[in-house]
Amino acid sequence: MRSVATGNKAVAEAVRQANPAVIAAYPITPQTEIVESIAGFVADGTLASQYIPVESEHSAMAACIGASATGVRTFTATSSHGLLYMHEMLFWASGARLPVVMANVNRAVGPGWNVWAEHTDALAQRDTGWLQVFVATVQEAYDTTLMAFRIAEHNDVLLPVMVNLDGFSLSHVMQSLDTVTLGDFIPPMVLPHRIDTANPQGYGPLTGPEEFYKFRWEIERSMRDARSVIAGTEKAFAETFGRKYGMTDEYRCEDADVLVIALGTFGKEAEVAVDILRKEGIKVGSLRPRWFRPFPDLDVKGRDIVVIDRDYSFGFGGVLADSLRARYRVEPSSIIAGLGGQEVTYDDIASFVRTRMPGTETWFGVHDDV
Amino acid sequence: MAGTWGRISTAVSPFPNPHYCVVYMRTGISMAEIPKEEYVLKCTSGCAGCSSTLCLRYILKAAGPETVLVMPACCTSVIQGAYPNTAMNVPVYNIAFASAAACASGISASYRSLGKKTNIIVYAGDGGTVDIGLQALSGAFERGTDFLYICYDNEAYGNTGMQRSGSTPLGALTTTTPAGKIHAKKDIDSIVAAHSPPYMASACSAYPLDLFKKVRKALEVRGPTFIHVLAPCPPGWRFPSDQTIEVGKLAVKTGMWILWEREYGKLKISAPSRAAVKKPEPLATYFSAQGRFKGIDPAVAEQLRNEVRRNIQRFVREEEQSCDQ
Amino acid sequence: MTMYEVRIHSRGGQGGVTAARLLAHAAFLDGKHASACPFYGAERRGAPVVSFVRIDDKPIRVYSQIRHPDLVVVLDTTIMDAVDVLQGLKPDGVVFLNSSEKSDAGEHTTYTVDLTAIALSLGLVIAGSPILNTPVLGALARMGVVSFASVKAAIAVTFSDKRNVRAAEAAYQELVL
């Protein structure tokens, strides 16, 4: 059914259709609309979930872990400080091999207080063992949230998935949304290691040096297997509902000499810059990684790369730029832009490309004399 | 609102009756009636004379096999045994230090929505309860979570080698209070009571029958229940391993630890403490039985004595008042 | 058609964000692609708020703020003392003001309807504030931004109170082209 919705409402609608047994969440700007919508669905009976109005994000994730461990579908949503407050429990969810699905509405981390978009909150969680995906449209937020449940709960994965959407620039943007009749697209959840009183086990007990690393390898092995599960799920989604997604979203990349690489809505806005630059004769394309964990295979060899990081790792560089340097031995033009909601237009992105200098890092808006 | 036990929201409670209900147990039970089944097997990693292991043994006998234990970091994280073995014959869900009550909330929400009546018991130390776990505990109680939270209180961070906790009594030596603790023990019971749970109680490892009965009673109650068990720790409190029961009894007999129950807010002092609150034994006998009060400043000892006296008066007065009503 | 861009100025609590969403919804019902982006400052009642609507035949890939709108909508003209609402308006851009007086904004074609009076006459008041976001949609339909049928449909889907559609109808009638 076609209608209109904000990014937050699209996520909430996907969750309503995925029908988790337990949802535990704590409100935070700009995610609040997701929690409010879900509470509304539960109140009006269109969603039969147990909604636990927890007292913190740490408890939100802990409650999802407890519920998921009993073998039922779970969901939570957060943003920024809430995500950071969950940090410890993020490791617990992945380490306990629980397919919790979470929407994270990307927002800067204080101080100073800032409620606008930035990706540092999510990228600071990149080592927690969560699958991470970044979306760029309302439709993609909805579709990806649905797929996230199927991917997380797949027997070859059994890891949590974090669906990231830009705070305000997507969470509060209204666009058209085509909702699906879900049918059996998400199979019932079967957790092989669910808590069972008929078969008492210890979960997460003391695990010595001779055993611990094996569990860590199991997580990595599932991360690697997740690539084919993601591909299979995205293929099934395209076949069932007609919308195609991949590990990346590519726009005019085939013959491109220059690639603009950015996560989230910047990656979409870059497409407009690409059209402008193509008219100027610059053969450029926009390559938007959708998935960040597992990290996608990118065809970047022999091309000029302009990476826009809406994040920063102090003392080192932009997280996305660093990932590309490390993985592909490339020297991108690294642009740090959009921190805390800093306004970046397609004209700005076009100028990043025109003035690109491989091997340099430029902070948008920061000049030597500042 | 779920803030008081009388008006729990039906969204939280899957039971047809939106109110908690207590099924009163007959009070007389003898040692012979305690189930023979063991759920704490003879392969724990507990210290010799460990009272918290003893408590758990009776708690699980009372709860039976249809039970899930939720455990934050605490001594029992180790006592339960290391992977791939477990000394527990019920599922144990280990969870991060601050989050036991929240994790139990998730399990409870799932099970109750599935119509499962499985007992969900948090077994947490004093650090995981009165300090780092307090927020999650408060949240779970405020939301009317159907579970039993048991705090076994060895009055310090025992698992890491006896550092002070909010539950360490005034004057006690710990590795982080080498001159004796200068702050009083946090009154977690009053904090929990402020959430108006339908049932809460104190217990002590030296009185396993009393503990057994209270666990049974708590598990019959729908909604959040709380049992605070004093668990003397031989290495931490510095007394011989064969004195665990004796030290626990001294705690009760001196009035340092009072056994009570609170049903729907109404206080009742339990049988083992009846004599003690009338005529407590001298506190010096409790001090001298353990090394952690060695060399206690006489002024601090006097302060503790006054505190114990006031505490006894407070309990006795409250019980009398509630009897008058 | 090239992309049509609308900037709505209002104060927090007056419904500018909802007006933007209703406009995008109506455009969607017209068969167009549309997006509504509020620019949130600190969310306070009474503070100036800007919302953006883009309407196009093609999918919209732009998320940044609109700098050169085709249409500026001002729900509260007192904002004009503090904010240059005409900033960046295209040379052939038009202006809509919620005003009881026929006024004009310099070079630009300016339309006015007293939305506040319409809201008050229908009793459309929430927490002391007249509701402006539904009547303004009627005015915008009269200006041809979206069809009136779609405006009525978008309002009906969003609000159960029938007075909202009546408010849009009143503004539609009152606007003089």
Side-chain angles (χ1 to χ4, degrees):
Chain A
M1 198 185 80
R2 285 187 53 112
S3 184
V4 289
T6 61
N8 278 341
K9 292 268 187 189
V11 168
E13 175 58 20
V15 171
R16 192 189 66 73
Q17 290 186 268
N19 193 24
V22 176
I23 297 167
Y26 190 81
I28 179 171
T29 303
Q31 156 268 31
T32 311
E33 206 179 18
I34 298 178
V35 181
E36 289 173 344
S37 301
I38 287 171
F41 292 149
V42 172
D44 69 20
T46 53
L47 176 61
S49 303
Q50 295 290 308
Y51 173 67
I52 310 179
V54 280
E55 81 295 336
S56 75
E57 290 89 354
H58 196 276
S59 286
M61 188 48 63
C64 283
I65 287 168
S68 185
T70 67
V72 301
R73 184 166 298 153
T74 54
F75 175 80
T76 188
T78 192
S79 174
S80 179
H81 289 262
L83 184 68
L84 300 195
Y85 195 31
M86 273 182 192
H87 181 69
E88 177 189 26
M89 303 318 293
L90 297 184
F91 281 96
W92 211 281
S94 59
R97 307 306 304 267
L98 299 172
V100 180
V101 172
M102 166 161 66
N104 179 55
V105 183
N106 301 108
R107 168 189 148 181
V109 178
W113 284 121
N114 178 297
V115 295
W116 294 277
E118 190 181 311
H119 297 146
T120 310
D121 60 349
L123 296 179
Q125 316 306 321
R126 66 182 183 182
D127 303 333
T128 55
W130 281 62
L131 279 70
Q132 291 186 310
V133 57
F134 289 77
V135 301
T137 69
V138 167
Q139 186 68 56
E140 190 184 348
Y142 168 83
D143 293 345
T144 305
T145 303
L146 288 177
M147 286 190 274
F149 286 101
R150 177 162 154 164
I151 293 164
E153 293 169 12
H154 193 286
N155 198 49
D156 293 345
V157 179
L158 291 177
L159 285 171
V161 177
M162 186 190 302
V163 179
N164 290 282
L165 58 155
D166 287 346
F168 292 112
S169 350
L170 185 56
S171 66
H172 286 61
V173 166
M174 182 182 261
Q175 296 172 338
S176 65
L177 173 69
D178 189 4
T179 55
V180 303
T181 304
L182 195 56
D184 57 0
F185 180 76
I186 309 172
M189 175 170 156
V190 179
L191 188 72
H193 56 289
R194 67 187 172 278
I195 300 172
D196 183 3
T197 50
N199 178 24
Q201 306 273 337
Y203 295 86
L206 193 65
T207 306
E210 66 286 0
E211 300 287 351
F212 185 81
Y213 68 92
K214 296 176 188 170
F215 289 101
R216 287 299 166 273
W217 163 244
E218 289 291 334
I219 294 174
E220 173 54 14
R221 197 168 66 174
S222 296
M223 266 288 177
R224 294 179 187 187
D225 290 348
R227 290 164 193 277
S228 61
V229 175
I230 290 167
T233 303
E234 288 172 339
K235 184 162 174 277
F237 193 88
E239 284 165 4
T240 316
F241 305 118
R243 285 186 292 274
K244 285 176 80 170
Y245 295 95
M247 292 291 286
T248 58
D249 182 23
E250 295 173 27
Y251 182 73
R252 303 181 82 168
C253 288
E254 306 79 22
D255 63 338
D257 300 326
V258 187
L259 293 177
V260 179
I261 302 182
L263 298 170
T265 53
F266 280 179
K268 207 71 187 159
E269 183 126 359
E271 294 181 7
V272 182
V274 164
D275 290 343
I276 293 169
L277 292 163
R278 285 266 175 176
K279 281 182 190 149
E280 295 172 13
I282 302 175
K283 283 167 84 176
V284 57
S286 168
L287 176 57
R288 176 172 67 87
R290 267 177 30 88
W291 292 87
F292 188 76
R293 287 290 182 274
F295 199 78
D297 294 321
L298 305 178
D299 181 15
V300 294
K301 275 205 195 75
R303 314 207 210 194
D304 248 12
I305 296 165
V306 178
V307 182
I308 306 171
D309 267 290
R310 193 171 211 171
D311 62 79
Y312 203 70
S313 174
F314 297 106
F316 206 84
V319 175
L320 188 55
D322 290 336
S323 306
L324 291 162
R325 283 188 198 110
R327 204 167 180 93
Y328 299 111
R329 308 204 176 278
V330 290
E331 285 297 333
S333 306
S334 165
I335 309 291
I336 311 302
L339 302 187
Q342 181 191 27
E343 177 74 358
V344 178
T345 68
Y346 49 83
D347 284 334
D348 297 323
I349 295 173
S351 92
F352 298 156
V353 173
R354 290 188 204 104
T355 59
R356 68 190 180 278
M357 288 200 294
T360 63
E361 177 181 293
T362 308
W363 284 60
F364 179 51
V366 175
H367 309 289
D368 288 343
D369 56 350
V370 168
Chain B
M1 296 299 291
T4 53
W5 46 261
R7 298 173 60 200
I8 182 174
S9 92
T10 47
V12 176
S13 168
F15 296 96
N17 180 351
H19 303 289
Y20 299 135
C21 71
V22 181
V23 177
Y24 290 91
M25 300 286 296
R26 64 198 173 89
T27 46
I29 190 160
S30 71
M31 210 66 191
E33 288 175 75
I34 289 184
K36 297 284 178 281
E37 288 81 11
E38 296 291 351
Y39 302 97
V40 176
L41 307 176
K42 290 176 181 171
C43 50
T44 71
S45 316
C47 300
C50 174
S51 69
S52 52
T53 310
L54 183 69
C55 289
L56 190 53
R57 184 171 170 230
Y58 283 93
I59 288 163
L60 291 177
K61 279 171 179 283
E66 194 52 35
T67 298
V68 174
L69 276 185
V70 179
M71 220 174 276
C74 60
C75 282
T76 316
S77 311
V78 176
I79 292 167
Q80 67 184 278
Y83 177 84
N85 302 308
T86 177
M88 303 294 156
N89 215 2
V90 295
V92 177
Y93 212 80
N94 290 282
I95 195 74
F97 210 177
S99 53
C103 178
S105 292
I107 296 174
S108 180
S110 168
Y111 276 174
R112 298 306 179 251
S113 72
L114 295 168
K116 282 192 180 184
K117 293 183 175 171
T118 310
N119 301 315
I120 298 151
I121 302 178
V122 169
Y123 195 58
D126 47 302
T129 302
V130 315
D131 292 338
I132 198 169
L134 183 58
Q135 175 177 308
L137 170 66
S138 172
F141 273 66
E142 182 265 338
R143 295 188 300 271
T145 307
D146 188 26
F147 78 137
L148 166 59
Y149 191 110
I150 299 177
C151 169
Y152 66 100
D153 187 355
N154 56 20
E155 301 191 319
Y157 293 105
N159 199 20
T160 44
M162 244 42 202
Q163 296 78 38
R164 92 189 271 289
S165 82
S167 208
T168 302
L170 179 73
L173 300 170
T174 70
T175 59
T176 51
T177 54
K181 196 190 180 206
I182 57 170
H183 305 111
K185 184 180 174 85
K186 190 191 284 188
D187 184 3
I188 187 68
D189 300 324
S190 292
I191 296 172
V192 174
H195 295 73
S196 304
Y199 180 81
M200 60 186 289
S202 77
C204 173
S205 59
Y207 299 88
L209 269 178
D210 179 69
L211 171 63
F212 180 93
K213 283 188 287 190
K214 285 170 174 170
V215 171
R216 276 275 170 96
K217 210 163 177 178
L219 291 173
E220 292 296 333
V221 178
R222 287 162 198 177
T225 53
F226 182 79
I227 299 179
H228 188 180
V229 194
L230 185 71
C233 169
W237 295 13
R238 306 178 195 178
F239 63 80
S241 297
D242 60 0
Q243 293 297 300
T244 302
I245 301 301
E246 206 45 51
V247 170
K249 283 192 169 164
L250 276 175
V252 171
K253 284 176 181 169
T254 56
M256 185 81 180
W257 188 255
I258 301 172
L259 302 177
W260 48 264
E261 289 179 290
R262 203 179 270 287
E263 291 175 47
Y264 294 102
K266 190 175 167 185
L267 181 81
K268 186 175 174 234
I269 295 170
S270 306
S273 276
R274 295 231 150 263
V277 298
K278 281 192 191 110
K279 195 173 182 302
E281 289 184 14
L283 205 53
T285 60
Y286 183 62
F287 290 158
S288 61
Q290 3 172 4
R292 63 174 175 156
F293 291 108
K294 195 175 179 187
I296 188 171
D297 184 321
V300 174
E302 186 54 30
Q303 217 177 316
L304 258 178
R305 232 171 259 122
N306 287 335
E307 221 172 73
V308 167
R309 198 177 304 127
R310 270 198 306 273
N311 215 23
I312 290 173
Q313 283 169 359
R314 180 165 68 94
F315 273 95
V316 170
R317 204 177 306 129
E318 190 190 331
E319 192 188 38
E320 281 170 3
Q321 280 168 357
S322 59
C323 287
D324 292 346
Q325 284 170 1
Chain C
M1 153 184 175
T2 56
M3 193 187 286
Y4 189 76
E5 297 183 304
V6 184
R7 189 170 68 209
I8 300 174
H9 294 269
S10 62
R11 291 190 183 275
Q14 288 180 329
V17 173
T18 307
R21 289 179 174 177
L22 286 170
L23 181 58
H25 195 164
F28 163 77
L29 294 174
D30 280 344
K32 308 274 191 190
H33 289 277
S35 80
C37 311
F39 177 77
Y40 282 84
E43 294 158 301
R44 284 171 298 119
R45 242 164 217 283
V49 178
V50 193
S51 318
F52 306 102
V53 182
R54 291 184 167 93
I55 303 171
D56 203 344
D57 292 328
K58 301 186 291 291
I60 292 159
R61 301 171 294 180
V62 185
Y63 292 88
S64 51
Q65 297 177 37
I66 291 170
R67 287 161 303 156
H68 301 293
D70 298 279
L71 165 64
V72 164
V73 175
V74 182
L75 291 182
D76 185 337
T77 51
T78 64
I79 285 173
M80 293 162 76
D81 299 335
V83 177
D84 177 11
V85 299
L86 300 181
Q87 191 183 32
L89 182 62
K90 282 179 185 160
D92 59 346
V94 297
V95 178
F96 173 84
L97 304 176
N98 167 27
S99 171
S100 57
E101 297 160 25
K102 184 79 194 147
S103 56
D104 68 284
E107 313 283 294
H108 298 280
T109 308
T110 305
Y111 303 99
T112 60
V113 171
D114 190 349
L115 305 174
T116 308
I118 291 174
L120 291 175
S121 72
L122 289 166
L124 276 174
V125 178
I126 287 183
S129 303
I131 294 169
L132 307 175
N133 50 29
T134 47
V136 74
L137 264 284
L140 296 177
R142 185 58 178 266
M143 289 164 63
V145 180
V146 284
S147 76
F148 191 49
S150 294
V151 160
K152 285 195 284 190
I155 292 173
V157 168
T158 313
F159 299 102
S160 54
D161 189 336
K162 298 276 189 291
R163 290 177 297 175
N164 286 295
V165 174
R166 295 222 301 277
E169 277 166 351
Y172 184 83
Q173 302 298 339
E174 272 185 37
L175 188 124
V176 180
L177 286 175

